[in-house]
Amino acid sequence: MLNYKRYRRFPAFRYPERTWMDKEITEAPIWCSVDLRDGNQALVDPMSVEEKIEFFQMLVKLGFKEIEVGFPAASQIEYDFLRQLIERKMIPDDVTVQVLVQCRAEQLERTFDCLAGLKQAIVHIYNSTSVLQRDVVFHKSKEEIIDIALTGTQLVKKYAAGFPGHIRLEYSPESFTGTEMDYAAEICNAVLDAWECGEGREVIINLPSTVEMNTPNVYADQIEYMSKHLKYREHVILSVHPHNDRGEGVASTELALLAGADRVEGTLFGNGERTGNVDILTLAYNMFSQGVDPKLALEDVNSIKEVYERCTKMTIPPRQPYAGALVFTAFSGSHQDAINKGVQAMHERQSTIWEVPYLPIDPADIGRKYEPIVRINSQSGKGGVAFVMDAQFGYKLPKGMQREFADYIQALSEQEGEVSPQEIYDIFQAEYVETKEPIHFKNIRTTDTENGDDTYTTMAHVTYLNHGSMKTFDGVGNGPIDAVISGLAEELKINIKVLDYQEHALGTGSNVKAVSYIHLLDVNTGKTSYGVGLSSNITRSSIRGLFSAVNRMFFPEEAEAAGKKRVEQKKAGQNPRDLFGNS
């Protein structure tokens, strides 16, 4: 049994004056990527200088205007990396790099040496302020902790005075969430006073949840309290730097934005110490899904993922929001059916607003258009199979046929697991479109005779193969299909009736074909069957569909054997249709 008594609830900050609950996120914050510092230091194999340069260039391309590039005073490779960016003139004028440094003279001196040549930079100082760290790590009083922050501020002020570019100060009371709120406000305001915060001397006050210690609403209360108790608020950029120890980093950040935060520090895909930093991509895509411009160029998540995985040697989990391989994939039959109907409804209504069940955004909007939304396994249903046939191959199966065909695919998936779209297509072709045994339609010649009352009688002369032998028959009806049915019924001594006929174009331009679906009834037995025909000529397409249905209904064993042979040829020895019974 878990020894839960070793732990105690962290006391919640009580702030009944809160107002954030009734607000909504209506615009993107200032984004600051800390991938190259906080994210990089959390890697088993930190990035090389060239890998960091490639990652930096990607961040610039994505639209980040503030990028924390490292801790140059603490690591030679981070010092060299920043020097490379500066000397190779790789930092655009509208991008500000940020460097982290402790409140120590020798580190600040080396940091400013590294910044030489920049027009602008953010110098980020920090010291821990929490009750626990003051007690067990530093053994210092509140006043002594404030002195550390003020010493660092004065040193930055000193070096900034001699720096030819513009320096903006960022101060973080590290372990903010474990700090008394009145004390956190006191130390931050002391820093603001020391820096002489004001017009042209704006300060970033960064409030990290260095370790998540409570629920997101408590963090939001803390942020709103600080927003209302900081001096010079109009000249303060209130920033948050959430971690994800409780798995609530995204929620904490979103509530912090409601509570007054102006800026977010985070990483792509949430990489960082322990369980990671807040995932900026998830935050940005969440805004996008609500009609808010995230102010980042995130149209191709696959390319972001590729650079990230290669440079960090990390792997994106398959259920990672938006980027994971399976996040836009439905296996459940009911989900697939709802997705299929939602997409159809959008097309029918010509809606410009995305509203599809189970899909909060259109995967195509973030570069996922070539990945299957619906994947078929034993849990799938008719809606999923129909969606694959429509979305990937253009076949819009009639509702009754969806269930009939899905039964074949489910039988296969129960034996072999997931069935690929290509396998589904191959089985469809073999089972319906290419079902030409034992009777195989070859040609038709029709003649129309006017009846005098604006109606016509069609006479059809059909050539076909029956078990390999060329034969012909004639039929008469009120159109080509009716004429062929009457002639075929007489020729084969069967009694058949068309229950439903549907057709649509397949493809576009000069390559367009007509696909026809025939739902046929054996009047004597009540048995029904579907057939599918495909041709650039609509009449030939419908007659092929009729012959397909007759083969499947009256000659199931021969049709089955011929279909199996075709599948074997296409699938190099695999026999998925061995699972199928007679159709």
Side-chain angles (χ1 to χ4, degrees):
M1 182 176 178
L2 286 172
N3 187 11
Y4 63 90
K5 293 185 178 180
R6 290 192 65 201
Y7 303 93
R8 60 183 177 183
R9 182 186 302 275
F10 192 82
F13 172 62
R14 304 297 177 186
Y15 188 61
E17 297 88 351
R18 68 181 69 87
T19 62
W20 56 263
M21 313 87 63
D22 298 322
K23 297 180 181 178
E24 296 181 353
I25 296 175
T26 58
E27 61 181 358
I30 300 166
W31 300 111
C32 177
S33 162
V34 295
D35 289 90
L36 298 171
R37 195 277 302 171
D38 203 346
N40 186 60
Q41 75 183 31
L43 297 175
V44 174
D45 182 13
M47 287 182 270
S48 66
V49 168
E50 288 305 316
E51 286 171 336
K52 292 184 79 172
I53 287 173
E54 181 182 4
F55 207 105
F56 176 84
Q57 290 175 318
M58 177 181 68
L59 293 171
V60 170
K61 183 179 179 181
L62 295 180
F64 285 93
K65 301 304 180 186
E66 296 182 5
I67 302 171
E68 189 167 85
V69 293
F71 201 147
S75 166
Q76 187 62 46
I77 193 171
E78 297 198 8
Y79 187 100
D80 293 341
F81 165 56
L82 180 52
R83 291 310 308 163
Q84 287 277 335
L85 293 180
I86 295 170
E87 291 165 10
R88 292 163 63 176
K89 301 186 184 304
M90 302 180 74
I91 305 172
D93 289 341
D94 64 344
V95 173
T96 303
V97 296
Q98 177 173 306
V99 291
L100 186 71
V101 59
Q102 292 179 341
C103 302
R104 294 164 57 184
E106 67 278 10
Q107 287 201 3
L108 278 160
E109 182 178 5
R110 182 164 172 78
T111 297
F112 273 88
D113 286 343
C114 189
L115 295 175
L118 281 175
K119 295 180 180 178
Q120 57 198 17
I122 298 169
V123 176
H124 181 187
I125 61 172
Y126 69 97
N127 65 310
S128 192
T129 60
S130 71
V131 176
L132 182 62
Q133 293 230 30
R134 295 197 315 260
D135 177 31
V136 305
V137 178
F138 299 106
H139 308 291
K140 291 185 181 296
S141 66
K142 288 182 177 180
E143 292 74 20
E144 290 172 313
I145 295 295
I146 291 176
D147 285 343
I148 294 173
L150 293 180
T151 298
T153 303
Q154 294 295 351
L155 285 167
V156 176
K157 193 174 181 180
K158 168 189 168 184
Y159 287 111
F163 187 78
H166 177 69
I167 296 295
R168 185 187 302 166
L169 175 69
E170 175 174 346
Y171 174 69
S172 289
E174 191 196 1
S175 60
F176 162 75
T177 49
T179 304
E180 309 93 322
M181 285 301 101
D182 57 347
Y183 178 59
E186 180 184 356
I187 194 168
C188 289
N189 283 327
V191 167
L192 295 173
D193 285 337
W195 184 255
E196 299 179 87
C197 179
E199 186 73 33
R201 293 186 62 80
E202 288 78 10
V203 175
I204 300 169
I205 293 295
N206 186 55
L207 304 175
S209 59
T210 309
V211 177
E212 275 196 317
M213 306 175 76
N214 221 313
T215 50
N217 62 298
V218 175
Y219 188 52
D221 284 348
Q222 292 173 322
I223 298 304
E224 182 169 333
Y225 174 90
M226 292 295 289
S227 180
K228 292 180 177 178
H229 287 80
L230 288 173
K231 294 182 178 181
Y232 321 107
R233 182 62 182 89
E234 67 274 21
H235 302 300
V236 170
I237 297 114
L238 186 57
S239 177
V240 292
H241 181 117
H243 279 247
N244 197 43
D245 300 89
R246 293 167 53 92
E248 298 168 336
V250 168
S252 293
T253 306
E254 291 180 330
L255 296 191
L257 290 172
L258 300 180
D262 309 304
R263 180 179 184 266
V264 173
E265 293 188 349
T267 59
L268 304 184
F269 305 112
N271 179 43
E273 295 282 9
R274 304 180 310 279
T275 56
N277 288 30
V278 69
D279 180 357
I280 283 181
L281 291 179
T282 295
L283 287 167
Y285 285 133
N286 283 355
M287 293 177 191
F288 169 71
S289 73
Q290 300 296 303
V292 175
D293 184 357
K295 303 295 185 181
L296 291 173
L298 306 178
E299 295 86 356
D300 188 359
V301 73
N302 289 327
S303 66
I304 301 171
K305 177 180 176 181
E306 190 278 324
V307 174
Y308 171 86
E309 291 189 325
R310 178 162 42 78
C311 289
T312 65
K313 291 85 174 174
M314 300 281 282
T315 301
I316 305 298
R319 299 295 180 185
Q320 178 83 14
Y322 300 101
L326 298 178
V327 297
F328 294 119
T329 299
F331 290 103
S332 161
S334 62
H335 288 206
Q336 292 172 351
D337 186 58
I339 290 171
N340 186 33
K341 290 174 179 174
V343 171
Q344 289 179 355
M346 281 189 59
H347 291 161
E348 291 168 1
R349 299 169 184 176
Q350 298 181 327
S351 174
T352 59
I353 301 298
W354 178 262
E355 289 182 310
V356 174
Y358 301 111
L359 291 178
I361 66 170
D362 183 351
D365 285 338
I366 63 171
R368 300 288 299 271
K369 67 181 74 175
Y370 300 115
E371 301 172 38
I373 295 172
V374 169
R375 288 168 60 173
I376 306 304
N377 64 14
S378 60
Q379 303 302 308
S380 305
K382 60 183 177 61
V385 174
F387 182 88
V388 169
M389 289 302 298
D390 185 1
Q392 301 216 18
F393 304 109
Y395 287 88
K396 304 181 187 302
L397 307 187
K399 286 187 177 181
M401 187 180 180
Q402 291 176 16
R403 169 50 62 197
E404 179 181 289
F405 182 47
D407 287 343
Y408 291 107
I409 304 304
Q410 186 171 30
L412 174 61
S413 65
E414 286 175 350
Q415 294 292 323
E416 299 187 5
E418 184 177 350
V419 184
S420 73
Q422 188 61 50
E423 288 179 294
I424 293 171
Y425 175 79
D426 289 344
I427 293 170
F428 179 80
Q429 292 291 315
E431 181 63 33
Y432 294 96
V433 180
E434 297 173 4
T435 302
K436 301 173 182 178
E437 291 85 6
I439 61 169
H440 179 192
F441 167 69
K442 297 295 290 183
N443 204 349
I444 183 172
R445 186 172 68 250
T446 61
T447 303
D448 289 334
T449 302
E450 188 171 0
N451 298 326
D453 55 355
D454 201 28
T455 63
Y456 293 83
T457 296
T458 299
M459 299 185 64
H461 180 75
V462 175
T463 303
Y464 76 107
L465 291 174
N466 190 331
H467 292 84
S469 298
M470 192 73 72
K471 296 191 175 185
T472 64
F473 66 81
D474 296 309
V476 179
N478 59 15
I481 296 178
D482 192 45
V484 173
I485 286 177
S486 65
L488 193 60
E490 179 65 26
E491 177 79 359
L492 300 180
K493 308 305 179 187
I494 57 178
N495 187 4
I496 55 178
K497 176 182 179 181
V498 173
L499 295 177
D500 183 42
Y501 168 76
Q502 297 183 35
E503 57 86 18
H504 64 78
L506 189 68
T508 57
S510 60
N511 296 321
V512 68
K513 291 186 177 182
V515 57
S516 301
Y517 309 94
I518 302 287
H519 192 197
L520 199 64
L521 169 69
D522 180 352
V523 176
N524 294 332
T525 66
K527 181 180 178 181
T528 65
S529 181
Y530 276 93
V532 180
L534 185 65
S535 175
S536 56
N537 178 281
I538 184 60
T539 298
R540 293 182 64 84
S541 169
S542 59
I543 303 307
R544 285 177 176 174
L546 178 61
F547 270 68
S548 167
V550 169
N551 277 322
R552 298 183 70 250
M553 177 179 287
F554 293 100
F555 307 99
E557 292 182 1
E558 294 169 80
E560 182 79 20
K564 183 185 295 183
K565 183 177 180 180
R566 283 189 293 272
V567 172
E568 288 172 349
Q569 292 171 343
K570 289 185 178 181
K571 300 183 70 60
Q574 298 178 25
N575 304 318
R577 295 179 80 249
D578 283 343
L579 303 169
F580 304 157
N582 291 340
S583 51

